[in-house]
Amino acid sequence: MRQAIFPEGAALVFGGSGGIGQGVALEFAHAGTSVAIAYRSKADVAERVAGQILEQGVNASTHQVDVVDTAQIKTAVDAAIAAHGRIHTVVWAAGPLVDQLHISEISSAHWRRAIEIEVVGFFNVVQATLPHLRDAGGGTYVALGSAGHLRWPDRDGLSVAPKATNESLIKGIAREEGRHNIRANSVLVGVIEAGMFLELLSQGQFDQKWIDETLRMLALKRWGKPEDIGRAAVFLASTQSSYITGQQLNVSGGYGL
């Protein structure tokens, strides 16, 4: 019999209807744990992913939530707990579609939106879920960050800079909450052939020169897949990494080596 690597309960995936978030949700299901999918507007996608999970014989639920609204977060968290009995893992995979702009081109409105969703949103989620993880005897946070933290990618500041704040918060959670058996780690995400990358590619924000230069910076000469990120998140959330906290797992094909 396969040994369980998660306790009873569910992984709560914020941004579970996104291109990468879908892959994360499905990989948690493949690992045998229930999944609560939190989404903002793509109800059809969230329901489709939940259906795929249910077809595997794994429990799934969907929860609409805007992460800048603390009341909506509380409602979604309470509903996920009611549906699954417990949340053992909180995955932060939410984030807006961000235009590729040099720092000199970023407007105040762009910056405020990115910070509000990425940084304030993640903080709101932590505040709403931390008491439950403590009461349940522990749990894990996994945040999706950016490989750009290790080598700055020109024009991607609206994604990289806010995520860098969350990296600091992850380390703070790991330090302060370890006494409560709560761990916190992050997955540094490279170029993944899904979600925002494909959308920006279709808009023409990435030209052939960008593609060629980026591929030259990859040790593995291919784009990543959502399941690459999902498997890393599952590892960091599971008992297989039970003595790892406050760390970054870089899943970027060797970007910038």
Side-chain angles (χ1 to χ4, degrees):
M1 179 180 291
R2 182 180 180 183
Q3 185 177 3
I5 59 174
F6 290 104
E8 292 297 318
L12 173 56
V13 182
F14 285 88
S17 64
I20 295 176
Q22 295 175 53
V24 172
L26 289 170
E27 288 302 320
F28 272 95
H30 291 160
T33 188
S34 299
V35 183
I37 300 167
Y39 69 95
R40 185 179 68 86
S41 59
K42 298 177 182 177
D44 57 335
V45 177
E47 293 296 337
R48 174 176 54 77
V49 175
Q52 291 175 282
I53 292 172
L54 290 167
E55 288 174 359
Q56 300 178 41
V58 178
N59 194 18
S61 61
T62 61
H63 310 274
Q64 186 172 22
V65 57
D66 187 332
V67 295
V68 303
D69 187 321
T70 55
Q72 287 190 34
I73 294 173
K74 183 180 186 306
T75 297
V77 170
D78 288 347
I81 294 169
H84 302 283
R86 174 189 176 185
I87 296 168
H88 57 67
T89 298
V90 177
V91 180
W92 177 256
L97 181 72
V98 294
D99 290 327
Q100 299 296 288
L101 299 168
H102 288 107
I103 295 171
S104 60
E105 301 169 325
I106 296 174
S107 69
S108 177
H110 279 125
W111 184 252
R112 286 180 180 276
R113 179 172 179 267
I115 294 295
E116 185 73 13
I117 296 173
E118 292 265 19
V119 178
V120 178
F122 180 53
F123 175 79
N124 289 342
V125 165
V126 171
Q127 292 296 91
T129 54
L130 195 51
H132 172 71
L133 296 189
R134 282 182 171 184
D135 291 344
T140 61
Y141 288 95
V142 179
L144 302 193
S146 172
H149 301 324
L150 305 179
R151 187 186 189 283
W152 183 267
D154 289 352
R155 302 193 303 130
D156 200 27
L158 283 171
S159 176
V160 176
K163 286 180 172 66
T165 300
N166 289 348
E167 290 298 320
S168 291
L169 188 57
I170 282 288
K171 291 184 184 298
I173 295 167
R175 175 63 186 171
E176 295 182 3
E177 298 299 325
R179 71 197 69 183
H180 300 292
N181 197 33
I182 295 171
R183 298 186 298 113
N185 296 287
S186 63
V187 177
L188 302 188
V189 179
V191 181
I192 304 300
E193 201 169 17
M196 185 170 72
F197 170 63
L198 292 182
E199 177 62 28
L200 294 176
L201 191 64
S202 71
Q203 293 177 9
Q205 296 203 43
F206 299 129
D207 57 18
Q208 191 60 47
K209 180 182 178 182
W210 181 94
I211 291 171
D212 294 341
E213 289 179 350
T214 303
L215 282 171
R216 275 197 294 271
M217 288 190 289
L218 299 182
L220 302 177
K221 303 303 181 181
R222 67 171 178 87
W223 307 132
K225 301 293 185 183
E227 55 265 32
D228 294 322
I229 304 303
R231 290 166 188 158
V234 166
F235 168 71
L236 290 174
S238 74
T239 57
Q240 295 176 332
S241 65
S242 61
Y243 203 53
I244 298 175
T245 195
Q247 303 303 307
Q248 300 172 332
L249 180 53
N250 186 3
V251 185
S252 65
Y255 172 75
L257 291 177

